[in-house]
Amino acid sequence: MQCTCGSDLQGGTIEEWDDVHSLLHYTCHHCEWTIGIEMDNREASFLFDCPTWTDEARHCLERLPPYVEPLVRQEVETYAGQNAIKLISTGLMTEARNQGTVFWRPDAERRLGRIPEPVRAMARRELERTALEREMPEVTVVLMDEIKARYFGMGAQAS
Ligand SMILES: [Zn+2]
């Protein structure tokens, strides 16, 4: 990106705005002009040539013990690469560390087994996605009840 004076704008701090947006700061060192752009974390990928960490995500990384830091960095950057994501937020760190998978409580797993085959895979995906979004470590029957009511229009009647 270029400033109106023709100099290249230098990327500065990247603040996480909310769970899915960040505020990207750019500065022109020629005229000392600064702009902030609010972007969706996933849609911001085109602005970066290589994996770039938000300030918050980098701070999380820096707080890790020195022998763990490179492992986590690699794990998260690999996950980001697989998903064509360049801007790494704390939310993406959590997602990457779960490797996009969540655990199932045994009772939830049993109940999933009773769902008719054609919709079971869809139900599994929807439940895992929702659990990940909420940073829940596992799928529970309580979550299943909620999702069933919301997505499958079956209401909350006792079966
Ligand atoms: Zn300028």
Side-chain angles (χ1 to χ4, degrees), residues 67-151:
Y67 55 94
V68 177
E69 193 262 10
L71 300 175
V72 172
R73 179 188 291 272
Q74 191 184 24
E75 183 183 55
V76 174
E77 290 189 351
T78 301
Y79 180 81
Q82 284 162 353
N83 292 279
I85 293 165
K86 292 277 177 59
L87 184 61
I88 297 169
S89 61
T90 49
L92 189 77
M93 282 180 85
T94 305
E95 196 181 314
R97 303 217 66 193
N98 288 325
Q99 288 295 313
T101 57
V102 287
F103 297 101
W104 285 72
R105 282 279 186 82
D107 51 350
E109 184 81 64
R110 271 197 303 279
R111 198 197 279 193
L112 185 74
R114 291 201 297 267
I115 294 176
E117 183 87 46
V119 294
R120 197 185 301 156
M122 185 181 74
R124 179 186 284 278
R125 266 201 310 278
E126 190 60 41
L127 285 157
E128 290 181 349
R129 193 183 61 79
T130 307
L132 279 173
E133 268 176 14
R134 297 185 189 176
E135 300 190 8
M136 291 169 65
E138 55 191 9
V139 175
T140 62
V141 291
V142 174
L143 182 68
M144 292 180 90
D145 280 337
E146 186 195 321
I147 298 295
K148 194 167 84 173
R150 192 149 57 111
Y151 290 96

Side-chain angles (χ1 to χ4, degrees), residues 2-9 27-33:
Q2 281 195 333
C3 175
T4 47
C5 75
S7 301
D8 283 335
L9 290 171
T27 303
C28 171
H29 291 295
H30 184 70
C31 31
E32 293 180 12
W33 182 66

